Amino acid sequence: MFTFIFLCLYRFSEYYKAFIFILFLKIQLVMATESQNETQSKSQPVLQPLFPKATEILFHTGNTISSLKLLNQPNSSVTEQITTYMSQLLETMKTNIDTKSFQEEKYIKLLPIQDDNQPIADKGAAATASVPPNESEQLTRKDLKFSVKIFLRTLEPEILTHTINTIFTELKESYLESVMISLPNYGSQITLDQFMPLWNVIEDFIDKKKILSAGVCDFMLPLLSDISNAAKHKPFANQINLGVCCSIPEELSKYVKENNIQLLTHSDPIDVLTDSDFQQTIREYGHNYDGLNWRPCSLVRYSCVITNRGIIKSKGFLIYAKRELYMP
């Protein structure tokens, strides 16, 4: 009897090893095919601009939770993630879409082709979703929490308003539980007078119950206290980059405790996506003219969590940029 059980377990382990090996080979084959297609897409010359009249562009990655390309790069930075997803969207546009349709467009949107539960990079791949479809269908909006971090590369309130409205449109949501505002290009140099027009935009969405709570990033004293005193809705949290600020100042720690403000940490770079990185990513898949003069205005990193289980249902990025064209 024991010999029979042992033989059964042995055979099961051998089958399991074989299954894992075959699955590994399939994943490697998919990644190799994607890499070959990407290389071919880059190497093919683009004889004319793909979107010569465009002055605005939006990249929406869709749900990136199962991206095979980044599963192979577990320690990739947020900048590498964004440029990788941009490349995937540009590659798909170049190979699968009639680019002539973009010739007269002023506002280009590069969106995932597939549904919300699978990213564009996994088209044709055997990817496993984090949440089984039958469980996902049973979830209600009350079971979910949407958290958003907006990296704003301008102080224009209109850009912030446009970005938040775009989030609602692309995610098909009517409200967000948490929004963090980051101004990486300005840091400690920003003043209260410069920041309050942006915070007033946030407060307007809070008043309309479209944002339930909002916080700031990398604010020190006295700016944080000045904002809290001047604001109708004070920040619920302040997120500090410990890579820049090695230790949290004692006076800041004391202030947030006394004023019921959460003190969080992050490891995002000072500038998540530079103008040159953005332009170069576009040039790799298009004409040199396509990458001309673009300036990323806002980058959004979002996630949706099943609150009672702490499981990430979806996550992704929105990248919005503008440029000025000097036509002869």
Side-chain angles (χ1 to χ4, degrees), residues 10 22 74 82-83 113 134 139 197 209 226 251 315 323:
Y10 176 78
I22 293 172
I82 290 172
T83 53
I113 293 176
N134 58 332
L139 296 173
K209 303 189 184 305
D226 291 342
E251 61 273 17
K315 62 179 181 178
R323 68 173 174 176

Side-chain angles (χ1 to χ4, degrees), residues 162-222:
H162 174 85
T163 298
I164 295 174
N165 285 328
T166 300
I167 295 171
F168 290 127
T169 299
E170 296 302 322
L171 299 187
K172 299 178 176 61
E173 293 296 330
S174 58
Y175 67 94
L176 303 168
E177 278 77 3
S178 170
V179 173
M180 301 295 294
I181 302 296
S182 175
L183 298 164
N185 291 36
Y186 298 91
S188 59
Q189 303 301 317
I190 193 170
T191 66
L192 179 65
D193 289 340
Q194 289 175 314
F195 182 72
M196 282 311 295
L198 298 174
W199 193 252
N200 290 337
V201 171
I202 296 294
E203 290 184 318
D204 184 50
F205 282 100
I206 293 176
D207 288 337
K208 295 175 181 176
K209 303 189 184 305
K210 302 190 78 174
I211 292 177
L212 303 189
S213 60
V216 295
C217 298
D218 302 308
F219 280 14
M220 297 295 174
L221 295 177

